[in-house]
Amino acid sequence: MKLHRILLGTALVILAPLAAAEPLPGTQPLTGTNDFSMEMVAGIDRFLDRELAASVGRRAAKWHRDFSSPEAYAKSIEPNRERFKKIIGVVDERETCKLQSRSTPPLEFNVVGAGTGYRIFAVRWSVLSGVDAEGLLLEPDEHLPPVANIVALPDCDWTPEMFVGLKEGVPIEAQFARRLAGSGCRVLVPLLMDRRDTYAGKPKIRMTNQPHREFIYRAASEMGRHIIGYEVQKVLAAVDCFVSEHIPSEPPAHSAYEPPPVGVIGYGEGGLIALYAAALDDRINAAVVSGYFQPREKLWREPIYRNVFGLLDEFGDAEIASFIALSKPIGNVVPPMPRALIIEASRHPDINGPPAPSQGRTGAAPGVISTPPLSDIEKEVARAQNLLGKIGLRPMTYSESEFARTNNLPEKPQPRFTLIKSGDGTGWPGCEAALTAFLKELHESAKLAPTEPPPPQGPSFRESDFQHQFDQLVEHTQRVLREGEARRAELWKKPNLDLSNWGFPLAKDSAAAVKKYQEDTRAYRDYLWDEVIGRFPPASLPVNPRTRLVYDEPKYRGYEVMLDVWPDVYAYGILLVPKDLKPGERRPVVVCQHGLEGRPQDCADPKVESRYYHSFANKLAERGFITYSPQNPYIGKDAFRVLQRKLNPLGKTLFAVIGRQHERTLDWLAAQPFVDGERIAFYGLSYGGKSAMRLPAMLEKYCLSICSGDYNEWIAKNASTTFKGSYMFTGEYEIFEWDLGNTFNYAEMSWLICPRPFMVERGHFDGVGVDEMVAYEYAKTKRRYDLLGIGDRCEFEYFNGPHEIHAVGTFDFLHKHLKWPKP
């Protein structure tokens, strides 16, 4: 939405005659002619840079490593592993895995190529309900067991056929899957989602230039899933196949047979998946991560499909690596076994952004990948090694020692993290030293095969196979989207909040029911703030209010206001104070919130007539209300969207900042001698309506809330691939909120505003949504108020109009519930 703008230079000319006027009593003069709105965004950006840098030192508080023994260490990191699984979306139960032919012929006849000592099969294996994986299997010729089972993951822009030399596109020296197969290993190469935009969108709605990975990321993140998690699941399903021997060749028929060890190796996006898979699954004995490992505090610069909500609050690459140190013990017989991680410093994929916009394809988030300095990689590897430096190596018991001796295992498990450079650290992945070390970790006597020419060009990668994989993942996001309402109902299953327990007729004591309801919803308010929005500490600076008179109208005066929050972060807005205030009188306040790319002047400048806001703050002031129009930092296009990118890895959203800004503002307003602190209302349009759903749900000092032009079936609005108004097809890449679909739709947010008055304002021609979707969601809001016996506190006004402040029923609502007489 393009909101009405006023030129800053023009505004300064208008304000200049009043610049020297007296500030509001009890405040210091506000000085300067800067653009306070954009300076706010820049200040928050500096604040977040410091928060990201500080996150490294804060992570230790989230870990409770017990170094007294390997067993104690393995147990002590399990809670962290479970949290890591959740934030990357590994939450769905996998199906029983079995490798099968990717096409009609039985697997043994579906040979697509061969090299010295191995054949190449096109395969498919089951992963989740409705989701399978596809790729190539490089199977050793001999009937003896392979020396190891390996999942080899190329960068996502390399197809399996390119990676094994059946098709051009990957340098021979980077085709390490073939060398491992020639060394006697069984190697499985999965197909990953790439960075093209071929299928990103819906032809009958809109196609975008989002990489396929981003398109899946958007819908998945809203539902607590992730493209990373889906592909980790594909690797773990392959490991399921390996350890259960659901593979083409039959294991030898003798009782002493043990499945071969399992390894993963990956490059670029495949390196990310290899690291995460090995961190989660201790059946993986060794891992190689090439072209990925580094400090992650600048994750916000990388493509958005790498964005993981809450990652840096607890995990950098070093912390993730620490999961790979030891396997978990099995009962009292099998002790924790050492695992190996090899970091190969190699060139990273060179990604300068998403596909270029073309033929109407737009909307992708910016993001780059480049090769970091070798010193950065060395620093992160050293951090990982230091995290494990205190693991105690107590003497083994007799049974443990016997198990180790019988199985040719070391009697004192020692984790092994190794850094190997490919050339000067910028060579191709899969260098001689890295592959040799990897093989040695998996099988002491294995020898690395020499590099050989690629096999004859075989059947090329079929585009339909890729589209099939893409469609499966998109459909899985839509299936969990459809299930989201049931998941939210489970979350709200507390007896006094579960509507199915509310009988008819209602209890006569409505006041007691409301009080009990408020008590029971407090935990949900904390959950929304802590787990969904993210909670920063309260303001750390003195409020230091600065004001200046900017408007002197017949019925009111207007003041610019600035309040400190944290270093570099302030709250800013415009306060309109009626001139007919009587000594000692305290009046209600309406906080009038602008939308996307808006400014306080859009709502409160008497000389601005906005097609969206219609001077509603001024009109309310003329009716005798005090109004305050705050600046929210969703202004500056990518400048503010970068804030969201920096906030997300810290487990926070933009509203984590906005919430504390409004908290400071509410406290200051309530302290003014002419303000009734019990009657401060919120009224916002568009992104301001988004604020109207979240801020009053968090901050109980708002006595009522009016959501204009935003109330919606919000989860579908964000993540549906069939609704033409969905954010899946637009440039608002910051809009997606992690796991919101399983926790809070707009009805659930309104339940946290309840029992305070709540109203929705919507024009029939507002393209933000459609009446039917909005009405469906609102019915759940209204029912909650009605069942509590306070239905008169909840209203909805439709009007014949577009995306705008209508200011009819809402003004009546404000007069009624703020107890202020109509003019």
Side-chain angles (χ1 to χ4, degrees):
M1 180 185 74
K2 294 184 178 179
L3 298 180
H4 178 77
R5 306 282 352 110
I6 59 173
L7 294 175
L8 181 62
T10 303
L12 294 177
V13 171
I14 293 171
L15 301 181
L18 296 170
E22 287 295 314
L24 198 67
T27 68
Q28 296 298 312
L30 176 62
T31 60
T33 58
N34 301 332
D35 182 346
F36 294 135
S37 300
M38 290 310 300
E39 277 201 350
M40 175 187 287
V41 173
I44 295 171
D45 190 70
R46 294 190 296 273
F47 167 75
L48 293 178
D49 283 341
R50 294 193 297 272
E51 288 293 302
L52 286 166
S55 69
V56 180
R58 290 199 296 256
R59 288 173 203 154
K62 297 292 182 74
W63 294 73
H64 303 285
R65 293 183 176 89
D66 185 342
F67 293 106
S68 61
S69 70
E71 294 87 349
Y73 177 82
K75 182 179 180 180
S76 69
I77 65 173
E78 273 308 294
N80 304 84
R81 198 193 307 266
E82 289 303 310
R83 287 194 292 272
F84 182 63
K85 284 175 65 175
K86 186 175 189 298
I87 66 174
I88 65 170
V90 179
V91 295
D92 297 294
E93 184 177 352
R94 290 192 301 278
E95 298 204 324
T96 302
C97 181
K98 184 175 183 179
L99 283 172
Q100 54 190 341
S101 175
R102 197 165 70 187
S103 55
T104 304
L107 184 60
E108 58 269 26
F109 300 113
N110 193 19
V111 178
V112 296
T116 303
Y118 63 90
R119 294 176 296 167
I120 305 173
F121 300 87
V123 295
R124 173 181 290 124
W125 62 101
S126 52
V127 183
L128 310 173
S129 175
V131 176
D132 55 30
E134 296 186 9
L136 296 177
L137 176 70
L138 284 63
E139 179 73 14
D141 287 339
E142 291 83 359
H143 294 293
L144 292 175
V147 298
N149 287 322
I150 293 173
V151 181
L153 297 139
D155 179 61
C156 64
D157 283 339
W158 294 353
T159 67
E161 285 77 4
M162 293 163 60
F163 191 42
V164 303
L166 291 175
K167 186 180 179 183
E168 294 180 350
V170 175
I172 291 177
E173 55 267 42
Q175 297 175 16
F176 51 81
R178 292 193 296 110
R179 292 195 72 183
L180 294 169
S183 305
C185 300
R186 174 186 291 125
V187 182
L188 184 59
V189 181
L191 172 69
L192 303 181
M193 288 294 100
D194 65 18
R195 302 183 183 95
R196 296 178 301 154
D197 62 1
T198 308
Y199 308 108
K202 288 288 184 180
K204 293 184 179 180
I205 299 177
R206 182 184 174 190
M207 299 303 291
T208 78
N209 70 324
Q210 297 170 38
H212 293 126
R213 301 184 72 79
E214 178 181 344
F215 193 79
I216 294 166
Y217 159 85
R218 290 190 178 201
S221 64
E222 194 78 6
M223 301 309 305
R225 272 72 170 182
H226 204 295
I227 179 61
I228 291 173
Y230 282 133
E231 293 185 336
V232 167
Q233 290 273 45
K234 292 186 177 188
V235 173
L236 301 186
V239 176
D240 293 341
C241 290
F242 287 154
V243 299
S244 61
E245 283 297 318
H246 285 155
I247 46 182
S249 59
E250 293 297 323
H254 54 82
S255 59
Y257 173 74
E258 291 288 336
V262 176
V264 295
I265 177 171
Y267 167 65
E269 229 57 33
L272 183 162
I273 302 302
L275 175 65
Y276 285 19
L280 292 187
D281 195 335
D282 60 8
R283 298 174 300 175
I284 296 171
N285 303 90
V288 179
V289 176
S290 182
Y292 176 73
F293 199 88
Q294 66 183 87
R296 205 54 62 182
E297 286 66 64
K298 292 186 178 179
L299 177 60
W300 59 271
R301 295 185 71 249
E302 299 178 44
I304 198 168
Y305 47 78
R306 288 185 172 186
N307 182 51
V308 175
F309 189 78
L311 181 74
L312 299 182
D313 194 41
E314 189 168 350
F315 309 101
D317 285 5
E319 284 80 10
I320 297 169
S322 72
F323 286 128
I324 304 174
L326 299 169
S327 66
K328 290 177 286 189
I330 301 176
N332 296 320
V333 179
V334 182
M337 290 292 108
R339 299 201 287 155
L341 174 64
I342 298 165
I343 305 301
E344 183 183 38
S346 66
R347 66 176 68 187
H348 289 218
D350 187 15
I351 306 299
N352 294 316
S358 64
Q359 299 179 338
R361 285 178 176 260
T362 58
V368 300
I369 300 174
S370 59
T371 303
L374 179 61
S375 60
D376 283 1
I377 302 172
E378 292 172 334
K379 177 182 175 182
E380 193 70 6
V381 170
R383 268 208 332 115
Q385 293 168 333
N386 290 338
L387 289 174
L388 302 178
K390 300 178 183 178
I391 293 181
L393 300 179
R394 63 155 177 78
M396 282 186 165
T397 65
Y398 176 78
S399 60
E400 291 172 346
S401 181
E402 281 297 296
F403 180 88
R405 182 184 60 78
T406 304
N407 292 276
N408 194 31
L409 297 171
E411 294 197 15
K412 289 188 176 182
Q414 182 63 51
R416 298 181 298 281
F417 289 179
T418 308
L419 173 62
I420 295 175
K421 294 184 290 184
S422 177
D424 62 356
T426 62
W428 287 108
C431 71
E432 191 90 8
L435 296 182
T436 299
F438 183 43
L439 275 178
K440 185 176 180 180
E441 293 290 355
L442 292 170
H443 196 287
E444 187 71 26
S445 60
K447 302 295 183 182
L448 181 64
T451 300
E452 64 175 22
Q457 296 286 296
S460 63
F461 166 75
R462 297 182 304 180
E463 188 64 25
S464 60
D465 292 331
F466 180 90
Q467 185 176 6
H468 173 71
Q469 290 281 287
F470 175 81
D471 289 344
Q472 280 190 339
L473 292 181
V474 171
E475 173 52 31
H476 192 272
T477 69
Q478 300 307 288
R479 180 165 67 81
V480 295
L481 169 64
R482 294 188 292 271
E483 295 170 351
E485 189 166 22
R487 302 288 80 76
R488 296 191 297 274
E490 289 176 7
L491 180 68
W492 286 79
K493 207 69 175 176
K494 208 168 184 177
N496 197 48
L497 300 177
D498 183 1
L499 293 180
S500 64
N501 293 328
W502 292 18
F504 186 85
L506 300 176
K508 293 181 180 180
D509 191 353
S510 178
V514 167
K515 183 178 179 181
K516 181 67 165 62
Y517 179 84
Q518 289 175 295
E519 294 172 355
D520 288 343
T521 53
R522 189 157 288 115
Y524 291 91
R525 191 183 324 283
D526 289 339
Y527 188 95
L528 174 69
W529 199 340
D530 293 333
E531 303 297 328
V532 178
I533 287 171
R535 193 192 299 251
F536 274 118
S540 61
L541 297 179
V543 64
N544 186 26
R546 288 92 73 202
T547 67
R548 66 183 173 198
L549 182 67
V550 290
Y551 314 129
D552 194 349
E553 296 297 305
K555 291 189 175 183
Y556 59 85
R557 292 182 178 90
Y559 298 86
E560 280 188 301
V561 178
M562 185 175 289
L563 312 169
D564 288 336
V565 181
W566 302 300
D568 284 321
V569 180
Y570 55 80
Y572 163 70
I574 295 177
L575 179 71
L576 302 185
V577 182
K579 288 182 175 180
D580 62 350
L581 272 166
K582 298 177 178 63
E585 182 184 11
R586 291 179 177 268
R587 290 195 185 179
V589 179
V590 181
V591 173
C592 301
Q593 189 64 65
H594 64 77
L596 182 64
E597 299 296 333
R599 295 171 184 260
Q601 290 81 1
D602 293 324
C603 305
D605 189 330
K607 294 180 173 61
V608 172
E609 172 50 40
S610 164
R611 57 179 284 203
Y612 301 106
Y613 303 106
H614 302 303
S615 304
F616 79 115
N618 310 84
K619 291 174 181 176
L620 286 167
E622 290 171 348
R623 288 171 172 249
F625 293 101
I626 298 166
T627 70
Y628 184 78
S629 301
Q631 177 70 62
N632 277 0
Y634 36 73
I635 184 172
K637 299 183 179 179
D638 278 342
F640 94 79
R641 292 189 169 100
V642 164
L643 302 182
Q644 188 82 311
R645 289 295 316 273
K646 291 183 176 183
L647 283 155
N648 277 184
L650 296 171
K652 295 174 175 66
T653 70
L654 196 57
F655 282 99
V657 176
I658 296 171
R660 291 305 190 189
Q661 289 175 311
H662 278 249
E663 184 178 56
R664 170 121 290 183
T665 300
L666 283 165
D667 289 343
W668 180 79
L669 285 171
Q672 301 312 298
F674 48 83
V675 169
D676 182 349
E678 300 297 316
R679 292 186 291 166
I680 303 179
F682 193 99
Y683 184 2
L685 171 69
S686 194
Y687 232 106
K690 201 180 319 299
S691 304
M693 297 309 304
R694 290 157 180 79
L695 296 176
M698 298 158 59
L699 304 171
E700 293 182 272
K701 289 183 180 180
Y702 279 121
C703 71
L704 68 76
S705 182
I706 301 174
C707 177
S708 179
D710 191 73
Y711 190 94
N712 226 310
E713 209 293 5
W714 184 248
I715 307 306
K717 166 72 176 173
N718 278 267
S720 171
T721 60
T722 58
F723 172 46
K724 66 180 181 180
S726 171
Y727 285 117
M728 288 294 296
F729 310 109
T730 70
E732 286 94 340
Y733 57 82
E734 86 292 346
I735 210 80
F736 303 92
E737 295 162 283
W738 171 254
D739 203 27
L740 194 69
N742 295 310
T743 54
F744 297 91
N745 205 334
Y746 271 11
E748 287 82 10
M749 290 185 196
S750 73
W751 298 347
L752 296 180
I753 297 170
C754 179
R756 292 165 289 163
F758 175 71
M759 183 173 182
V760 175
E761 178 181 57
R762 171 176 167 74
H764 287 303
F765 304 104
D766 189 338
V768 165
V770 294
D771 289 347
E772 293 82 358
M773 287 175 64
V774 176
Y776 175 82
E777 190 69 10
Y778 175 75
K780 293 179 280 185
T781 294
K782 178 62 171 170
R783 178 172 55 172
R784 178 89 24 167
Y785 278 82
D786 286 347
L787 291 178
L788 279 169
I790 53 173
D792 62 327
R793 300 184 193 179
C794 186
E795 296 184 24
F796 195 132
E797 182 187 38
Y798 286 108
F799 62 92
N800 287 323
H803 188 70
E804 64 181 2
I805 293 286
H806 188 51
V808 178
T810 53
F811 278 22
D812 290 342
F813 190 79
L814 289 168
H815 281 289
K816 173 183 176 181
H817 292 288
L818 293 179
K819 297 180 174 59
W820 185 251
K822 294 182 182 180

